[in-house]
């Protein structure tokens, strides 16, 4: 089955063309991993991975970095951010983490409105971490409501809904190797 005729996902949406190919993602991820390694030369980097969307990006980054990487996960979900609602962000799994003196890199799939990243950064301010940086595979600057500094950014994209390379729509498409635009079915 080819990528474009696969079943799954909401019935009114279809998989559109490739926006960013696996090869382009791989090259960019290697660049970002090298930057992260340079910025954390001595000692351990603690990845703080925002599930679920950032899982593949985090795994690929970690495999390029030659210094020590520890990996922690949290769950970030937002309500109403797309539909014009309050955009409340719920973070789960952070309270159990001891990040005192850690050098943290938050790993995000997309910074869209910026609310998730900001909520995370607000929380981490109280964590006692030595440093906190943000890596995001994608950014949609035209959608920004809260300005956040992204230290390691893969690609800026326009305001399209995208899937693949870890990112979903209704839990479908996460395993696609390329990033695709999702389109309304004709
Ligand atoms: P923010 O809080 O508005 O920045 O939302 C960030 C989160 O929304 C991302 O981590 C994704 O989980 C989700 N998201 C935003 N845009 C897309 C998209 O185009 N495809 C899949 N998920 C998206
Ligand atoms: Mg996410």
């Amino acid at each position: 089955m080819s990528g474009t005729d696969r079943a799954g996902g909401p019935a009114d949406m279809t998989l559109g063309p490739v926006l960013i190919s696996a090869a382009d993602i791989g090259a960019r991820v290697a660049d970002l991993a090298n930057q992260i390694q340079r910025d954390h030369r001595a000692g351990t980097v603690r990845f703080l991975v925002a599930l679920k969307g950032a899982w593949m990006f985090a795994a690929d980054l970690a495999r390029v970095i030659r210094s020590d990487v520890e990996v922690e996960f949290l769950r970030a979900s937002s309500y109403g951010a797309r539909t014009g609602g309050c955009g409340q962000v719920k973070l789960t799994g952070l309270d159990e983490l001891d990040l005192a003196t850690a050098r943290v890199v938050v790993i995000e799939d997309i910074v869209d409105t910026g609310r998730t990243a900001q909520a995370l950064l607000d929380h981490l301010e109280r964590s006692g971490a030595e440093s906190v940086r943000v890596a995001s595979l994608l950014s949609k600057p035209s959608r920004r409501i809260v300005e956040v500094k992204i230290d390691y950014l893969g690609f800026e994209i326009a305001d399209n809904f995208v899937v693949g390379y870890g990112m979903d729509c209704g839990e479908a498409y996460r395993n696609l190797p390329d990033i695709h635009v999702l389109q309304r079915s004709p």
Side-chain angles (χ1 to χ4, degrees):
M1 191 191 279
S2 82
T4 42
D5 58 10
R6 81 208 312 273
D12 58 338
M13 302 299 280
T14 27
L15 196 61
V18 171
L19 183 66
I20 308 172
S21 70
D24 288 348
I25 296 168
R28 192 74 191 111
V29 168
D31 286 346
L32 297 181
N34 287 323
Q35 287 176 39
I36 292 171
Q37 183 169 324
R38 267 203 308 277
D39 292 346
H40 301 82
R41 226 179 265 285
T44 302
V45 187
R46 294 278 283 284
F47 274 15
L48 188 50
V49 183
L51 294 175
K52 295 182 187 175
W55 64 288
M56 204 176 267
F57 178 41
D60 284 347
L61 280 174
R63 272 182 285 198
V64 179
I65 295 175
R66 298 267 63 90
S67 44
D68 292 335
V69 179
E70 292 182 7
V71 185
E72 315 283 1
F73 299 95
L74 70 117
R75 196 57 199 272
S77 23
S78 45
Y79 301 97
R82 273 251 138 195
T83 51
C86 57
Q88 276 279 1
V89 178
K90 186 178 171 209
L91 303 173
T92 322
L94 273 177
D95 292 334
E96 301 87 80
L97 293 178
D98 180 4
L99 297 172
T101 75
R103 299 191 302 162
V104 175
V105 179
V106 171
I107 314 285
E108 266 270 30
D109 51 356
I110 302 189
V111 177
D112 184 34
T113 64
R115 283 175 169 136
T116 305
Q118 191 55 58
L120 248 166
L121 291 171
D122 288 347
H123 184 100
L124 293 175
E125 238 174 53
R126 306 184 293 272
S127 68
E130 180 187 307
S131 61
V132 177
R133 294 185 174 91
V134 176
S136 184
L137 179 67
L138 302 176
S139 171
K140 295 182 193 173
S142 67
R143 295 257 312 156
R144 205 72 94 243
I145 291 171
V146 185
E147 259 336 296
V148 286
K149 177 167 177 264
I150 304 172
D151 301 279
Y152 311 103
L153 173 63
F155 304 91
E156 278 192 359
I157 62 169
D159 181 15
N160 288 311
F161 198 84
V162 295
V163 295
Y165 194 68
M167 294 168 286
D168 77 312
C169 182
E171 293 303 323
Y173 308 120
R174 288 196 196 276
N175 60 317
L176 298 180
D178 308 293
I179 295 173
H180 296 250
V181 174
L182 201 65
Q183 297 173 333
R184 212 154 274 292
S185 303

